[in-house]
């Protein structure tokens, strides 16, 4: 008898391999997934900050589901950062939180910036 609150935006951060696959398959087996799937159905904005290891990133099912979700207009994926050590790939990590915040602002048509003032000479 509980009604899920209607939100303007849902941010899934970090969004794991398992979560991306659940979103793509329409699985709503817990409160967070139910909220996310409801937002998708109501055409609300959903932002996923992807975070997983390299092996899961390259998994065929994940890549197929990420491609599938890329065609959904109200879902935005923030790709993880690919980190390198001495020119060689090291690991994946979730993008900086500031990138997620900027993506949220962008979805509402707001540009965020920090004003920098220089000293007058």
């Amino acid at each position: 008898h509980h009604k899920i609150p209607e939100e303007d935006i849902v941010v899934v951060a970090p969004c794991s391999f398992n979560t991306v696959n659940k979103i793509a398959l329409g699985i709503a087996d817990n409160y967070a997934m139910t909220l996310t799937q409801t937002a998708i159905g109501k055409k609300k904005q959903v932002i996923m900050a992807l975070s997983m290891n390299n092996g899961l990133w390259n998994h065929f099912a994940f890549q197929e589901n990420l491609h599938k979700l890329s065609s959904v207009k109200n879902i935005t994926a923030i790709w993880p950062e690919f980190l390198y050590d001495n020119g060689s790939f090291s690991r994946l990590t979730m993008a900086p939180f500031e990138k997620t915040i900027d993506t949220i602002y962008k979805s509402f048509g707001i540009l965020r910036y920090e004003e920098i003032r220089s000293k007058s000479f």
Side-chain angles (χ1 to χ4, degrees):
H1 301 323
H2 298 287
K3 184 176 179 183
I4 295 173
E6 186 169 332
E7 306 295 341
D8 292 328
I9 191 168
V10 172
V11 179
V12 184
C15 189
S16 68
F17 171 88
N18 191 46
T19 301
V20 169
N21 291 319
K22 283 183 175 186
I23 291 170
L25 297 172
I27 297 171
D29 61 350
N30 58 49
Y31 183 74
M33 286 292 88
T34 300
L35 184 68
T36 303
Q37 299 296 5
T38 300
I40 292 168
K42 290 186 172 190
K43 307 291 188 232
K44 301 292 184 174
Q45 184 67 32
V46 173
I47 296 174
M48 306 179 307
L50 304 175
S51 181
M52 64 213 55
N53 67 42
N54 189 42
L56 294 177
W57 176 263
N58 291 317
H59 193 281
F60 76 94
F62 171 78
Q63 288 298 320
E64 286 178 7
N65 285 328
L66 186 60
H67 179 72
K68 179 180 176 180
L69 291 173
S70 70
S71 67
V72 180
K73 203 172 202 174
N74 59 315
I75 297 177
T76 302
I78 302 171
W79 282 40
E81 287 194 342
F82 292 72
L83 301 180
Y84 292 84
D85 187 23
N86 295 324
S88 297
F89 175 76
S90 174
R91 63 187 174 93
L92 294 173
T93 186
M94 190 174 91
F97 189 67
E98 293 80 11
K99 186 172 182 180
T100 302
I101 296 296
D102 285 342
T103 304
I104 293 166
Y105 276 97
K106 183 181 174 194
S107 72
F108 287 108
I110 300 169
L111 295 178
R112 182 177 78 100
Y113 69 94
E114 291 184 21
E115 184 176 342
I116 299 173
R117 297 176 186 242
S118 60
K119 293 180 182 179
S120 298
F121 293 100

